[in-house]
């Protein structure tokens, strides 16, 4: 997709690399994450307005530590190094990095000695967040210090010509004025114009879709969630009648979901829509499967098979459109971010199509975070009830039904999930939290109902807050709300006699249980 300016964030394995990208986009400048070790010719081909080198867990002087291509530092474009990124700049340009006598983790005060453009209009002392055990012992030739902290004599530096480094993390909330630091880099150092908005994204996406599709025909996987709905609306705006949307009932949806989704889609989006009930087929494919990764593979495989069959009934179909998002890509594929990143889980709609499949993929949202997708949806004129629906996993309830997926266990899960969402909505919490749902565990425990002993299922309730699903925290729900959820599930859902509440953040956990 062609853009007038793009900032590339070189990811060296920091847990907050995605936050850097988010903060830059919040400043209305488009950016993408790329592996930190990407060779300069590949970076140069993207015509970046600037490079940002992320933090990372390694020490720059260790054998095997990920290194930036030194040519990127001598290319004449602005560079900002953050933590490990700052140390890489010093290491490659003639300075010295060494272990600090005292490590610096947590809050610190940065004493600004020289604005250097980076600290313009900011106070002389800044509260910042540090996370490092190494420091810059000797500045590279031509560099000067911009600031210091208690344990870092050189906590910020510049060469005066557009290469800067900071030892602290401006992207995290614990650096209150970090957004202003990044904005100063983007606008005062780099001279960015800041024209990346939902409206500009829509114009570019529509042009790109038209250019890619030409006179071809597209089939779109439409689930009723915000991602697929926004993707379908974008494709429809670009090519109109060349698009056919397919809503597949895979038997893994929530209670009354097919009916509600069809009502919303027919009532709000003027799309060419086909409905396919493939629930029996998906359940057969999942029979005996307990491994979560295998569940995801089975669901993805069956989805593709359904679309192939629908495409054959429609005639010649050239493209498959789907609502893949950037967090899906980051969690699924290490090569799209840091070379040292680990695969968290496989997303059914990430990683390309099976060999031999004749569709070409269209993924207009592939580099957007969830909140950006919602902003695009509002800009497209979509109803808020659809745009602000909580995320629902592509493999559906199969990943919330721990152990084997059966029709009976799915009904138990649907009943519990209905109660959770109903209470969250009744208490005005639906838009305040990121996700709220039930999980059917493979555990059974002893209970007492009336005068009888029971041996029944344990349901876990998961409610989290988040900005983009890359990190999340458990929601501190009022105890009376939790009490009503538990009471209703045990009383209204046959086969359940115990409810637990998940208070694990991400990391170390994930939002979904599988």
């Amino acid at each position: 997709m062609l853009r007038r300016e793009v900032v590339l964030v070189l990811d060296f394995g920091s847990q907050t690399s995605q936050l850097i990208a988010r903060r830059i986009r919040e400043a209305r400048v488009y950016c993408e994450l790329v592996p930190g070790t990407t060779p300069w010719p590949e970076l140069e081909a993207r015509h970046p307005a600037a490079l940002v080198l992320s933090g990372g867990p390694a020490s720059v002087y260790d054998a095997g530590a990920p290194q930036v291509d030194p040519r990127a530092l001598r290319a004449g474009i602005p560079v900002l190094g953050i933590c490990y990124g700052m140390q890489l700049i010093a290491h490659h340009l003639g300075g010295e990095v060494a272990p600090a006598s005292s490590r610096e983790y947590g809050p610190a005060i940065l004493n600004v000695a020289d604005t250097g453009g980076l600290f313009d209009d900011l106070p002389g002392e800044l509260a910042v967040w540090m996370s490092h055990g190494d420091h810059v012992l000797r500045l590279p030739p031509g560099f000067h210090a911009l600031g210091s902290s208690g344990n870092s004599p050189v906590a910020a530096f510049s060469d005066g010509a557009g290469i800067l480094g900071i030892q602290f993390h401006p992207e995290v909330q614990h650096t209150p004025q970090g957004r202003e630091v990044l904005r100063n880099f983007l606008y005062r150092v780099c001279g960015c114009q800041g024209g990346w908005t939902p409206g500009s994204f829509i114009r570019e996406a529509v042009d790109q879709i038209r250019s890619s599709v030409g006179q071809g025909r597209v089939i779109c996987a439409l689930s009723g969630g915000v991602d697929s709905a926004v993707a379908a609306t974008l494709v429809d705006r670009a090519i109109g009648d060349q698009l056919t949307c397919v809503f597949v009932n895979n038997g893994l949806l929530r209670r009354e979901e097919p009916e509600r989704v069809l009502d919303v889609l027919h009532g709000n989006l003027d799309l060419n829509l086909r409905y396919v009930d493939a629930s029996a087929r998906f359940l057969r494919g999942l029979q005996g499967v307990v491994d979560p990764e295998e569940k995801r593979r089975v669901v993805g495989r069956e989805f593709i098979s359904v679309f192939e069959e629908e495409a054959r009934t429609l005639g010649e179909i050239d493209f498959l459109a789907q609502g893949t998002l950037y967090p899906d890509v980051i969690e699924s594929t290490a090569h799209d971010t840091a070379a040292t990143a680990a695969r968290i889980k496989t997303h059914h709609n990430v990683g390309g199509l099976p060999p031999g499949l004749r569709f070409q993929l269209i993924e207009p949202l592939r580099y957007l975070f969830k909140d950006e997708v919602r902003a695009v949806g509002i800009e497209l004129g979509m109803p808020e009830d659809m745009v602000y629906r909580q995320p629902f996993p592509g493999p559906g309830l199969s990943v919330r039904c721990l152990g084997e997926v059966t029709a009976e266990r799915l009904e138990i899960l649907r009943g519990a999930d209905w109660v959770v969402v109903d209470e969250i909505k009744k208490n005005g919490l639906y838009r305040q939290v990121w996700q709220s749902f039930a999980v059917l565990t493979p555990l059974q425990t002893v209970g007492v109902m009336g005068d009888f002993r029971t041996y029944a299922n344990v349901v876990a309730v998961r409610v989290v807050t988040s900005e983009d699903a890359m990190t999340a925290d458990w929601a501190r729900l009022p105890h009376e709300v939790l009490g009503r959820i538990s009471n209703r599930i045990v009383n209204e859902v046959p086969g359940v006699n115990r409810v637990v509440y998940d208070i694990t953040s991400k990391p170390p956990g994930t939002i979904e249980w599988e």
Side-chain angles (χ1 to χ4, degrees):
M1 187 179 294
L2 296 176
R3 295 179 176 88
R4 277 175 286 187
E5 60 184 14
V6 57
V7 171
L8 298 180
V9 178
L10 276 63
D11 183 5
F12 290 96
S14 169
Q15 294 183 8
T16 59
S17 295
Q18 296 83 15
L19 270 181
I20 301 172
R22 283 185 50 79
R23 300 297 178 241
I24 293 173
R25 292 189 186 187
E26 287 170 1
R28 299 178 63 175
V29 175
Y30 183 77
C31 73
E32 289 183 12
L33 283 167
V34 297
T37 55
T38 302
W40 167 243
E42 294 182 27
L43 301 175
E44 185 180 29
R46 306 284 294 278
H47 306 290
L51 303 177
V52 177
L53 314 186
S54 83
S59 292
V60 296
Y61 45 77
D62 284 345
Q67 302 293 330
V68 65
D69 187 334
R71 292 173 291 178
L73 305 179
R74 300 184 177 93
I77 63 172
V79 178
L80 175 64
I82 297 174
C83 195
Y84 182 80
M86 175 188 184
Q87 296 162 15
L88 280 173
I89 293 171
H91 180 71
H92 283 284
L93 296 184
E96 184 180 353
V97 177
S101 57
S102 179
R103 297 186 298 177
E104 199 169 25
Y105 293 100
I109 297 296
L110 177 75
N111 297 295
V112 179
D114 182 350
T115 67
L118 204 59
F119 303 109
D120 281 354
D121 296 331
L122 293 175
E125 290 188 350
L126 292 177
V128 299
W129 188 262
M130 296 283 194
S131 180
H132 64 99
D134 296 332
H135 67 170
V136 176
L137 185 64
R138 187 181 74 251
L139 285 165
F143 282 72
H144 64 280
L146 300 178
S148 61
S149 69
N151 289 322
S152 296
V154 181
F157 63 39
S158 171
D159 70 345
I163 299 182
L164 304 101
I166 50 178
Q167 190 59 71
F168 62 92
H169 288 269
E171 69 274 19
V172 301
Q173 293 180 348
H174 304 295
T175 301
Q177 291 169 295
R179 285 176 170 86
E180 287 83 353
V181 173
L182 288 173
R183 286 184 63 87
N184 278 343
F185 174 70
L186 296 169
Y187 288 97
R188 303 196 181 197
V189 176
C190 305
C192 290
Q193 299 301 304
W196 193 72
T197 63
S200 68
F201 169 80
I202 290 169
R203 291 190 294 273
E204 293 169 355
V206 166
D207 289 345
Q208 181 66 47
I209 293 166
R210 284 175 181 160
S211 174
S212 299
V213 172
Q215 298 302 310
R217 297 179 65 195
V218 181
I219 191 172
C220 180
L222 192 57
S223 69
V226 58
D227 306 336
S228 62
V230 171
T233 304
L234 272 175
V235 176
D236 180 68
R237 178 167 293 192
I239 60 172
D241 292 341
Q242 295 168 246
L243 169 68
T244 300
C245 295
V246 178
F247 172 56
V248 177
N249 179 359
N250 58 12
L252 306 171
L253 302 176
R254 291 167 287 197
R255 180 183 288 179
E256 299 179 6
E257 185 91 352
E259 297 82 4
R260 287 186 287 118
V261 167
L262 289 173
D263 285 345
V264 170
L265 293 176
H266 283 307
N268 295 280
L269 301 180
D270 185 22
L271 300 172
N272 180 14
L273 180 63
R274 293 169 66 98
Y275 171 73
V276 179
D277 186 352
S279 52
R281 172 181 188 156
F282 278 80
L283 284 176
R284 282 196 303 271
L286 288 166
Q287 187 173 1
V289 177
V290 296
D291 179 72
E293 283 290 286
E294 183 60 23
K295 288 180 183 179
R296 293 175 183 273
R297 284 190 286 268
V298 167
V299 172
R301 182 181 67 238
E302 294 299 330
F303 263 119
I304 292 299
S305 296
V306 169
F307 288 123
E308 277 194 300
E309 293 170 9
E310 286 302 304
R312 283 194 289 270
T313 68
L314 292 169
E316 188 63 30
I317 297 292
D318 309 285
F319 298 89
L320 169 64
Q322 56 186 23
T324 308
L325 300 194
Y326 207 13
D328 301 338
V329 174
I330 292 169
E331 287 191 335
S332 294
T333 53
H335 62 270
D336 276 4
T337 52
T340 56
R343 177 173 303 205
I344 306 301
K345 58 186 176 183
T346 300
H347 289 262
H348 77 286
N349 59 344
V350 175
L353 296 172
L357 193 63
R358 55 190 179 84
F359 298 137
Q360 297 180 59
L361 268 182
I362 295 177
E363 299 174 307
L365 311 180
R366 186 177 176 87
Y367 293 103
L368 296 190
F369 292 100
K370 176 72 78 171
D371 58 323
E372 295 170 329
V373 173
R374 287 179 169 143
V376 168
I378 293 297
E379 185 74 16
L380 286 167
M382 297 171 62
E384 286 196 6
D385 285 350
M386 176 177 289
V387 170
Y388 287 100
R389 287 192 70 192
Q390 290 183 2
F392 186 65
L397 295 180
S398 70
V399 295
R400 296 178 181 174
C401 186
L402 308 190
E404 186 175 5
V405 180
T406 66
E408 179 185 7
R409 300 191 76 226
L410 285 172
E411 279 307 303
I412 295 173
L413 179 53
R414 286 191 184 98
D417 187 76
W418 178 274
V419 171
V420 173
V421 176
D422 188 48
E423 285 295 330
I424 292 295
K425 288 182 175 178
K426 280 183 177 178
N427 288 275
L429 299 169
Y430 190 78
R431 292 273 292 272
Q432 296 181 29
V433 301
W434 181 263
Q435 272 177 282
S436 48
F437 57 89
V439 175
L440 180 60
T441 76
L443 305 174
Q444 292 186 312
T445 63
V446 173
V448 178
M449 290 185 176
D451 294 323
F452 296 96
R453 176 186 185 275
T454 63
Y455 191 61
N457 293 286
V458 177
V459 162
V461 174
R462 180 74 157 149
V463 186
V464 298
T465 58
S466 180
E467 289 186 348
D468 53 24
M470 298 309 304
T471 60
D473 195 12
W474 62 278
R476 273 67 170 174
L477 296 184
H479 289 180
E480 58 270 20
V481 175
L482 287 172
R484 281 194 295 272
I485 288 173
S486 175
N487 184 266
R488 284 188 59 189
I489 290 175
V490 171
N491 282 280
E492 297 177 20
V493 183
V496 178
N497 69 356
R498 192 178 299 271
V499 176
V500 297
Y501 188 52
D502 183 352
I503 58 170
T504 311
S505 62
K506 176 188 178 181
T510 56
I511 294 177
E512 300 289 343
W513 274 38
E514 288 193 352

